[in-house]
Amino acid sequence: MQHINSKLQEVETTIFTVMSNLAAKHNAINLSQGFPNFETDTGLIDLVTYAMKKGYNQYAPMPGLMALRAIIAENTNTLHASAYHPETEVTVTSGATQAIFTIISAFVHLDDEVIIFKPAYDCYEPSIQLFGGKVVPIQLSVPNFGVNWGEVASKITSKTRMIIINTPHNPSGSVLSKEDMLQLEKLLKDTNIILLSDEVYEHIIFDGQKHQSAAKFPGLAARAFITASFGKTFHTTGWKMGYCLAPKDLMAAFRKVHQFNVFCSNHPMQYALAEYLKNPDHYLSLPSFYQEKRDLFLSLIQGSRFTFTPASGTYFQLLNYATITDEGDVAFAKKLTREHKIASIPISVFNLNGQDDKVLRFCFAKTEDTLERAAEILCSI
Ligand code: PMP
Ligand code: GLN
């Protein structure tokens, strides 16, 4: 081929792959890509094995196994006083990434505008571009990453098709408050704008705060897709299992694409997850489980030259290194990996025009031993 006309000419390999590969090459502690380094509950693994032996090895129903959709709807409706119907308003997906891609592909037409907040998780923008949409970015500011809803209002035009929010927010660790959600609800009233609410860290929220799901706000729920990930919730990022919720009409449009995009997701895992979700303790215990890890990590690096605002949610902590060097964050993250054997994610890659605030993201979904070794290195820098 003389000329390959890629639809994503400018896009490079995702930073998660770049940093994880570099960590492996230099034998560094990998706090870059977000995944736990401890095992998932063997009870859940046993349920998958059981399902495979019982013969759940062929295609699942296209929207997902009914038992799984039913327990997802029941648990969601209990948590948020919502009314999702398992038959028509819940679809099981191959991770949240597939849900997000499918939602965007189903609704974003040529020249439609999609508002996103930067720093933004890296799969949103290329997906919008692939379908001819125009990304309308709004840059949030360190250290609190609060949203100025007046600014959001000023970006809404007759072409705005969708707005994407993410709470708890990757990479900043910030969360949207009830007041934020009410402001958004007011802003979208009387519009045809679809809300994509990426809530994959819904159960990882700290200091007694409550997750403000779009499902809790009728004016938002009526126009929202909510995406969720079992990878985050059950320490199984490699399983690539998730789901999305939306009102019936929106979900019908989603399934028109989903049936040709993946058709269905992994069948034995759906069986296992349906059983496992019968015990809500499995996810209700996550705030204290991860808050302990956040607090341990932060107490261990208290004496270092890095500065920080504790994460309100997610399993990521931002550390500011401005007192150490004025090097760019990508160069500094790579240097830390090569020379100090600790890998992180530079935040500028998620920012508007690569804005560099001298912050790195560290994943604390790790064993105590790993967090201790990581902190020791960070304190020596
Ligand atoms: N959204 C956000 C904000 C994420 O951090 C991730 C990463 N895991 C995803 C979506 C994708 O989730 P999944 O691994 O289930 O595809
Ligand atoms: N969500 C993970 C993170 O933010 C990465 C997922 C991926 O590697 N694409 O680190």
Side-chain angles (χ1 to χ4, degrees), residues 106-356:
F107 297 99
V108 174
H109 297 248
L110 186 66
D111 295 332
D112 280 351
E113 294 177 2
V114 181
I115 296 176
I116 67 169
F117 296 94
K118 309 278 279 181
Y121 185 59
D122 71 348
C123 78
Y124 306 153
E125 215 161 316
S127 307
I128 297 164
Q129 287 162 351
L130 273 176
F131 296 97
K134 183 177 163 219
V135 175
V136 178
I138 294 178
Q139 178 68 46
L140 306 178
S141 302
V142 285
N144 296 323
F145 299 88
V147 177
N148 174 345
W149 294 103
E151 186 183 359
V152 180
S154 75
K155 301 279 184 185
I156 292 179
T157 73
S158 58
K159 290 191 163 175
T160 309
R161 181 74 176 153
M162 186 180 286
I163 174 163
I164 304 180
I165 58 171
N166 170 218
T167 183
H169 182 251
N170 179 10
S172 75
S174 65
V175 299
L176 292 176
S177 67
K178 182 175 177 188
E179 187 51 35
D180 284 315
M181 299 304 270
L182 289 170
Q183 296 248 23
L184 178 60
E185 191 175 40
K186 203 160 111 194
L187 204 62
L188 298 184
K189 193 167 179 279
D190 301 325
T191 72
N192 273 324
I193 298 171
I194 291 170
L195 175 66
L196 197 175
S197 187
D198 183 356
E199 303 184 12
V200 297
Y201 300 100
E202 61 188 321
H203 299 300
I204 310 180
I205 183 159
F206 310 130
D207 307 316
Q209 296 179 85
K210 288 268 164 287
H211 170 56
Q212 299 298 329
S213 172
K216 285 186 187 298
F217 302 84
L220 293 179
R223 62 178 72 252
F225 275 94
I226 295 173
T227 55
S229 172
F230 292 117
K232 308 291 160 187
T233 302
F234 296 140
H235 322 308
T236 53
T237 61
W239 289 12
K240 294 303 294 186
M241 295 296 293
Y243 61 92
C244 65
L245 307 165
K248 189 174 166 203
D249 293 350
L250 288 175
M251 191 57 93
F254 174 93
R255 288 179 184 171
K256 285 187 189 187
V257 180
H258 177 81
Q259 63 186 337
F260 300 122
N261 182 201
V262 285
F263 182 73
C264 69
S265 298
N266 186 299
H267 201 173
M269 285 174 183
Q270 292 194 53
Y271 174 90
L273 288 163
E275 285 298 310
Y276 198 69
L277 278 167
K278 287 180 183 163
N279 182 356
D281 290 346
H282 290 138
Y283 53 85
L284 296 179
S285 59
L286 283 179
S288 59
F289 176 77
Y290 275 120
Q291 186 169 326
E292 233 170 77
K293 293 196 179 292
R294 179 201 66 175
D295 291 348
L296 172 69
F297 183 56
L298 292 183
S299 71
L300 290 170
I301 60 163
Q302 203 69 50
S304 77
R305 291 161 75 195
F306 293 89
T307 57
F308 53 81
T309 302
S312 293
T314 75
Y315 45 51
F316 303 116
Q317 177 63 50
L318 294 189
L319 299 183
N320 182 306
Y321 64 86
T323 64
I324 300 172
T325 173
D326 55 12
E327 241 175 295
D329 67 351
V330 175
F332 191 54
K334 289 184 175 170
K335 183 164 148 186
L336 288 185
T337 310
R338 280 192 316 265
E339 296 176 14
H340 294 272
K341 309 292 177 203
I342 183 159
S344 58
I345 295 287
I347 295 311
S348 65
V349 299
F350 309 123
N351 277 342
L352 184 55
N353 302 322
Q355 178 180 308
D356 185 353

